[in-house]
Amino acid sequence: MTRTIYRLSKTVKFKRIMVVSLCLSLVLLLALGGLSIYTIGVVSERREMEEALSRKSVELSRMEQDAAAKQNQWEEQLSAVQGQLDDATTEQSRLDATIQSQSQEISKLLGGKTSKTTASKTTKKTTVKKPTGKKMVALTFDDGPGRYTEKLLDALKERNAKATFFVLGQLVDRYPDLIKRMDAEGHVVGSHSYDHPNLTKLTYAQIKKNMDKAAKKINKLIGHDPEVIRCPGGSSNDTVKKYAKNAGVPIIYWNVDTLDWKSRNTQKILEEAFDVETGIEDGDIVLMHDIYDTTVDAAIEMMDRLIAEGYTLVTVPELLEAYEGTIVAGKVY
Ligand code: NI
């Protein structure tokens, strides 16, 4: 009986052990299963995040490319617009000049008096010149700066030649480096007004407002006001002279008109400049416009010829000091 009980209890014990170990392995299996499911979940989530991240970075780089392309496009458009603006300014000054020359012709046809400020081949302005023992000429460039001015500055530098630039105030902000370079390389930055109006049609206050606006723009870049001015179209009257006198600047006219704006032809410009009767002589001031490529090409050849003929290429103030002595504010030279 006791043996039976003992056996029975042994079987029961065995069964208990079996049940317990089964339970334990089940728990272990469940834990392992859970862990692996969790791990798989984490890994796949991470992969998804990485994929999303790489998609985003691809998107970002595409956006950057798009932005760069757009910027390029805008820059191209901007430079195209600037080119058009240059052309418009050029066209405007050309028209101004045409109007002036036509009104000159009309007044001649009508037998009227030719105004003091008109340039013509037959009335070459001759100033009283002191012999200096040195042949000098002052090349002057109006209506700029423009797209070809840099080439001109390079050529002047190579030849150690100086020039005078009568710039338009409205173009100063578009070419600040060129204005600074002119001054730094010994050229003279003169004023040709802010936006090329006929000054003789303006009141004193209007002249002052226009000229002062240009002077301020120039001063900001070179540290002083322009020391010489040239009236648009060369047209001046007593009101303009009064302004110049008060501003302390002389008004600069010219002796030789190359008519470069009219011909736009390098060869013709040179023919005008070296014309036997009306061409360049010692002490002359030569009118050109650095907004035309034909003019810049002609000016470069002109410099070489003048230097070969023994001329020194000087600024207008240098020429006036040598030939006139004192420079008088408000006086037309
Ligand atoms: Ni002009």
Side-chain angles (χ1 to χ4, degrees), residues 93 142-143 192 196 232-233 289:
S93 53
D142 290 11
D143 297 355
H192 194 44
H196 215 276
H289 302 79

Side-chain angles (χ1 to χ4, degrees), residues 152-177:
L152 178 60
L153 285 171
D154 289 342
L156 285 160
K157 195 178 179 183
E158 274 169 35
R159 291 158 182 81
N160 193 30
K162 306 297 173 215
T164 306
F165 293 88
F166 292 99
V167 302
L168 286 177
Q170 66 178 355
L171 294 175
V172 166
D173 284 344
R174 210 182 304 162
Y175 300 99
D177 293 341

Side-chain angles (χ1 to χ4, degrees), residues 93-94 96-97 100 141-144 166 168 192-193 196 230-234 254 261 287-289 291:
S93 53
R94 195 184 63 76
D96 282 349
Q100 209 210 335
F141 299 93
D142 290 11
D143 297 355
F166 292 99
L168 286 177
H192 194 44
S193 82
H196 215 276
R230 174 173 283 154
C231 304
W254 55 84
W261 57 271
L287 171 66
M288 283 180 274
H289 302 79
I291 50 174

Side-chain angles (χ1 to χ4, degrees), residues 67-219:
K70 277 228 175 78
Q71 202 193 337
N72 274 343
Q73 214 178 318
W74 287 338
E75 274 168 8
E76 268 169 33
Q77 280 174 357
L78 194 76
S79 79
V81 168
Q82 275 186 350
Q84 281 171 357
L85 252 164
D86 279 352
D87 291 344
T89 314
T90 303
E91 193 58 23
Q92 194 203 332
S93 53
R94 195 184 63 76
L95 282 170
D96 282 349
T98 312
I99 289 164
Q100 209 210 335
S101 81
Q102 278 173 354
S103 64
Q104 245 173 266
E105 271 164 36
I106 289 165
S107 71
K108 257 185 230 158
L109 281 172
L110 292 173
K113 288 174 279 178
T114 325
S115 91
K116 198 202 166 189
T117 51
T118 51
S120 102
K121 280 191 132 193
T122 47
T123 58
K124 184 177 169 185
K125 186 175 172 261
T126 44
T127 42
V128 183
K129 291 163 192 166
K130 286 198 291 189
T132 61
K134 192 165 127 180
K135 288 205 290 182
M136 287 186 194
V137 64
L139 301 183
T140 67
F141 299 93
D142 290 11
D143 297 355
R147 280 177 281 176
Y148 314 106
T149 308
E150 194 176 4
K151 186 181 175 185
L152 178 60
L153 285 171
D154 289 342
L156 285 160
K157 195 178 179 183
E158 274 169 35
R159 291 158 182 81
N160 193 30
K162 306 297 173 215
T164 306
F165 293 88
F166 292 99
V167 302
L168 286 177
Q170 66 178 355
L171 294 175
V172 166
D173 284 344
R174 210 182 304 162
Y175 300 99
D177 293 341
L178 290 182
I179 305 280
K180 282 190 228 166
R181 188 179 162 193
M182 287 168 189
D183 185 61
E185 293 181 357
H187 307 297
V188 164
V189 182
S191 172
H192 194 44
S193 82
Y194 184 77
D195 54 359
H196 215 276
N198 183 343
L199 295 178
T200 61
K201 299 256 161 74
L202 304 183
T203 63
Y204 183 87
Q206 287 170 326
I207 294 167
K208 184 171 163 52
K209 193 180 166 197
N210 193 294
M211 295 304 290
D212 284 357
K213 196 174 170 188
K216 205 177 158 191
K217 292 256 179 216
I218 295 166
N219 191 323

Side-chain angles (χ1 to χ4, degrees), residues 240-302:
V240 178
K241 284 179 203 163
K242 191 178 148 196
Y243 165 78
K245 196 179 172 192
N246 291 338
V249 287
I251 300 169
I252 309 304
Y253 201 64
W254 55 84
N255 311 103
V256 177
D257 188 353
T258 60
L259 299 171
D260 60 329
W261 57 271
K262 206 172 180 182
S263 72
R264 308 263 195 109
N265 179 306
T266 302
Q267 219 41 55
K268 286 203 171 124
I269 297 166
L270 288 166
E271 278 167 27
E272 290 290 344
F274 294 103
D275 185 277
V276 186
E277 279 175 35
T278 58
I280 298 169
E281 291 169 353
D282 184 17
D284 276 350
I285 297 171
V286 184
L287 171 66
M288 283 180 274
H289 302 79
D290 55 326
I291 50 174
Y292 308 112
D293 54 348
T294 43
T295 297
V296 171
D297 289 344
I300 294 169
E301 215 174 308
M302 204 180 295

